Amino acid sequence: MDDILKQAELLFEENQHEYAIFLLTDAIQSAHYDKAEALCKRSACYMHMNRYRDACSDLTKAIELDRTIPSAYVRQSKCYLAMGDLENAICSLEILRSIDPDSSFAKFELEKLRTLKGYDIEAKALFARQKYSDVVNLMDKCLERAEICIKFKLMKAECLVYLREHEQAVIIVNEVLFLHKDDIEAICIRAMNLLHQEKYQLGMIELKEVLTISAKATQMFKQYKAIIEKLKRADKALQANRLEEARCFYEEVLRIDTKNVTKNMKVHLKLAELHQRLQQYKEAIEYCTRVLEIEPSIMALKIRAECNFDLEDFDVSVEDYRELVKLDNTLANKSRLDAAQKQLTVDNDPCKLFGISASASAEDIKKIYRKLIIKYHPDKHPDESKYVQYKMKVRFARIQQAYEKLKRQSGK
């Protein structure tokens, strides 16, 4: 009667898992074999084929038939862990400990799983706060302890997409799909990775594969269909100089998928260009600053420097032109820097900056200096935008230089 089970065991040892499953399925359906034992053996085959859901289903049935099989709880816990279900993984081992209180394996694994649960809770909180680098670090710790966990791999991959580490993200996702070709979450993240690189057509093709079985894919598909359409209409309106219409479309695009950094940076630059054309320089500067907070940008620096020049904030304009020349050392940019520096020289009279006469006393100079450094100290503006803080920093340095110059000139 045990012939089929022995044959299946030999096939398993030879890594002939599909043939072993075929024999074990016959044994499970037969009344002549221990069904619980056959289910456990088939679950082992499924696990070696990375079919953890099927393995878990077999183990649940085996435990219902015989609650005293220690190996069933061990395997069940591993399956739950692979699927990212830490609660049930812990539950399986707690039952094992109630059956076998001296199990050192159960004790060790429970400690590991509880540590992983703590990391998982912390990672979810960090993810909600968009602290993606911290989540990646936590997922690395989790994967050191549970390399088989698909959930941890995909959470790391999703965070890498948001961090624009696209090559690393796709490597992880493709590794998951190599073992689990129908994993919907992995397919969605691979599509997201393409969309966040503005490879819209390829991303939409990926999403279409799982539209009918994934609410996440359906939502993403609708979002990017709207983004693609609105971007086309916005660009067309901008080219036709219908600036208000273009602005509305670009702002709508920004509100859809706020986590897509690459898309949002390009839209911020479009809005900066648009506001500059409308002579709304402060708004243009804010959009440029949002881009520059993420990475250096020739276009953002150019527009911001020009707008500051037009606003007669020559000190800030000079700083931006200096950074621009470092990135794009062209004759045109050097000329713009020279022009800004000349204006700053004209505007840089220390007495004019301090609002004093050339005959002001040392005490008067010191009083005004103290007022100005309090007004412009960067630490005094923690709730202001990054640009305002940057502007205060430049102005603060200028005031300090002017004060030193006044002291030298007057000998005070």
Side-chain angles (χ1 to χ4, degrees):
M1 289 294 181
D2 291 336
D3 287 350
I4 288 181
L5 297 183
K6 286 179 179 177
Q7 287 178 41
E9 197 167 323
L10 287 171
L11 288 168
F12 176 83
E13 289 172 0
E14 293 171 0
N15 292 320
Q16 299 291 321
H17 300 122
E18 290 187 7
Y19 292 114
I21 287 169
F22 180 79
L23 290 178
L24 289 165
T25 301
D26 282 347
I28 290 162
Q29 292 170 351
S30 170
H32 303 296
Y33 297 94
D34 185 328
K35 192 172 182 179
E37 183 185 356
L39 283 163
C40 283
K41 288 183 181 294
R42 191 170 71 175
S43 75
C45 294
Y46 283 138
M47 288 175 73
H48 275 262
M49 297 171 71
N50 300 299
R51 291 169 59 180
Y52 296 108
R53 200 170 299 281
D54 291 330
C56 202
S57 175
D58 274 1
L59 291 163
T60 301
K61 291 173 186 175
I63 288 167
E64 286 173 358
L65 294 169
D66 185 351
R67 297 183 181 276
T68 63
I69 309 174
S71 62
Y73 295 104
V74 172
R75 287 177 187 163
Q76 189 182 52
S77 177
K78 287 181 179 178
C79 290
Y80 281 131
L81 176 58
M83 295 186 292
D85 188 346
L86 297 174
E87 288 288 346
N88 276 319
I90 290 169
C91 184
S92 295
L93 290 180
E94 285 175 341
I95 296 171
L96 175 58
R97 284 203 76 183
S98 68
I99 296 168
D100 182 7
D102 297 326
S103 173
S104 58
F105 173 84
K107 182 181 178 182
F108 174 79
E109 288 296 310
L110 273 170
E111 287 177 3
K112 181 179 82 172
L113 288 170
R114 285 172 182 144
T115 300
L116 288 172
K117 185 180 175 182
Y119 287 152
D120 188 47
I121 292 168
E122 187 181 352
K124 286 174 181 174
L126 290 167
F127 188 91
R129 288 158 48 203
Q130 299 188 12
K131 302 288 186 181
Y132 301 123
S133 293
D134 294 334
V135 177
V136 169
N137 291 335
L138 271 177
M139 290 303 100
D140 284 337
K141 288 182 180 180
C142 290
L143 290 166
E144 285 173 8
R145 294 163 173 79
E147 191 179 358
I148 64 169
C149 185
I150 300 164
K151 174 186 172 182
F152 296 151
K153 290 177 182 179
L154 293 180
M155 181 177 274
K156 178 180 177 180
E158 184 170 355
C159 289
L160 288 170
V161 172
Y162 297 141
L163 292 167
R164 297 193 299 155
E165 299 288 350
H166 299 296
E167 288 185 12
Q168 289 184 51
V170 80
I171 288 169
I172 294 170
V173 169
N174 285 340
E175 284 176 357
V176 171
L177 287 169
F178 179 76
L179 298 174
H180 313 276
K181 64 178 181 179
D182 297 322
D183 191 291
I184 295 169
E185 182 68 12
I187 293 169
C188 285
I189 292 172
R190 188 163 68 180
M192 182 194 300
N193 196 45
L194 290 165
L195 294 167
H196 279 235
Q197 296 174 77
E198 296 189 294
K199 297 176 181 178
Y200 294 131
Q201 187 175 358
L202 292 174
M204 298 294 266
I205 290 169
E206 286 270 5
L207 289 174
K208 281 180 181 178
E209 291 183 17
V210 290
L211 272 182
T212 57
I213 52 175
S214 170
K216 181 174 181 176
T218 302
Q219 181 187 13
M220 210 185 306
F221 188 86
K222 287 178 180 177
Q223 281 184 329
Y224 277 87
K225 187 176 179 182
I227 285 170
I228 292 164
E229 179 60 29
K230 289 180 189 298
L231 280 174
K232 284 179 182 176
R233 295 174 72 177
D235 290 343
K236 189 175 180 180
L238 185 63
Q239 288 170 5
N241 210 35
R242 300 195 303 272
L243 302 183
E244 188 58 32
E245 181 185 340
R247 182 188 65 79
C248 290
F249 282 127
Y250 284 132
E251 288 180 353
E252 285 178 25
V253 170
L254 284 178
R255 289 192 287 270
I256 307 172
D257 193 3
T258 57
K259 295 178 181 178
N260 188 331
V261 176
T262 302
K263 178 262 294 180
N264 290 344
M265 282 174 57
K266 290 201 172 181
V267 175
H268 284 146
L269 285 173
K270 291 282 188 181
L271 283 164
E273 178 192 345
L274 186 153
H275 282 289
Q276 185 185 27
R277 284 163 66 174
L278 289 168
Q279 297 186 351
Q280 296 170 346
Y281 300 126
K282 290 182 179 179
E283 290 84 351
I285 285 167
E286 284 296 333
Y287 281 117
C288 289
T289 303
R290 291 180 195 179
V291 174
L292 292 166
E293 285 171 7
I294 298 166
E295 68 179 21
S297 164
I298 291 171
M299 184 58 69
L301 281 168
K302 180 177 179 293
I303 293 173
R304 194 169 77 172
E306 290 171 353
C307 289
N308 277 311
F309 188 93
D310 289 333
L311 288 170
E312 298 186 1
D313 285 333
F314 300 118
D315 49 357
V316 188
S317 181
V318 164
E319 290 300 318
D320 278 344
Y321 275 128
R322 282 175 180 161
E323 291 301 313
L324 178 60
V325 167
K326 287 179 188 176
L327 293 177
D328 188 26
N329 190 17
T330 62
L331 185 59
N333 288 334
K334 287 179 180 178
S335 297
R336 293 187 184 105
L337 174 59
D338 289 342
Q341 285 175 325
K342 285 176 184 176
Q343 288 295 331
L344 181 59
T345 301
V346 172
D347 197 48
N348 211 24
D349 179 6
C351 293
K352 183 180 176 182
L353 185 61
F354 274 53
I356 58 173
S357 67
S359 60
S361 68
E363 189 62 30
D364 287 340
I365 292 171
K366 191 177 288 186
K367 281 181 182 178
I368 293 168
Y369 170 68
R370 284 173 178 167
K371 285 181 182 178
L372 289 172
I373 60 170
I374 289 170
K375 180 180 177 181
Y376 291 107
H377 198 290
D379 292 346
K380 295 291 182 181
H381 306 273
D383 299 325
E384 296 287 355
S385 68
K386 295 284 187 184
Y387 169 70
V388 170
Q389 291 180 36
Y390 168 67
K391 188 175 177 179
M392 293 301 106
K393 183 180 177 182
V394 173
R395 196 65 44 84
F396 181 75
R398 185 181 168 199
I399 289 161
Q400 288 180 311
Q401 290 169 3
Y403 180 58
E404 292 300 322
K405 190 174 181 181
L406 281 169
K407 286 199 300 182
R408 286 196 304 271
Q409 285 177 349
S410 62
K412 295 171 184 177

